[in-house]
Amino acid sequence: MDRLLANGTVNAAQSGEGAPLFLFHSLLSDRASFDAIVPELEGSFRTIVPELPGFGRSRAVGGGLIVVADRMAEAVKEAAGRAPAIVLGNGYGGFVALQMAIRHPEIASKLVLADCGAAFSEPGREAFRNMAMVSRQKGLEAITDVAMRRLFAPEFQERHPELMRDRREAFLRTDPDVFRSACDALASLDLRPELAAVKVPALVLVGEHDEATPPPMSHELAAGLPRAELKVIPGCAHVPQLQSPRQFLGALKGFLL
């Protein structure tokens, strides 16, 4: 069931009963990247999967990551009511969740930060600047291969052609202006000085072969958060919940439940 949150600006799917669990999707994907794990989670949680601002039927916002995080904080507060919320973010969704937890310390009781970090290296920043520039000049089609490589290793792509067709189509539905704005935000982001403000328990997950947000970023993130645990998911890249749902769910056990 879909519902509108934050004064009708954020569209979200909701299913299940229990404590509210929010799933924030990545920049190069969409909320369907959680489809394989929602049926398992909705047995224990009221699972809420929003489309981030500018994606799907959620209204875009002007400004950088702070404005996106504040909009999502509105959505989380409305959907959770007075119940303590758990927020899981993957990739860009992880950065949004982290920025939200920094600015709204009461927003979540637990965080799961999958394949993200607090700041990119200079080569990582340059990659976002290049994707924004090429997409501006030639359109999203020109960077689709790069985007898919950042999500999945070439061998995985070869073994799952149908999934890759679906993921390419999902990426090409992204609003180009929203994509470029997010790239610009990530290219300049540095949340490291603010990590100590996040007092809630955090589980930091990363795919062993993630090229978009390499494992050293997750190691740095976990080291900077006061109450963090780090797990590396073997054989996976940037969207482990889609690549290996069973492994991803296994990594959540002991933390969510």
Side-chain angles (χ1 to χ4, degrees), residues 132-155:
M133 179 184 67
V134 174
S135 70
R136 187 174 291 110
Q137 294 172 346
K138 302 179 180 180
L140 290 179
E141 294 85 355
I143 61 167
T144 302
D145 286 345
V146 171
M148 293 305 102
R149 175 59 191 258
R150 289 171 71 86
L151 290 177
F152 306 104
E155 314 83 69

Side-chain angles (χ1 to χ4, degrees), residues 183-223:
C183 284
D184 291 341
L186 294 173
S188 59
L189 186 73
D190 189 351
L191 297 177
R192 289 172 294 189
E194 301 173 89
L195 294 180
V198 181
K199 305 298 186 185
V200 298
L203 175 62
V204 178
L205 302 176
V206 63
E208 177 187 13
H209 303 304
D210 188 350
E211 292 188 10
T213 50
M217 290 182 62
S218 288
H219 285 270
E220 181 181 55
L221 175 60

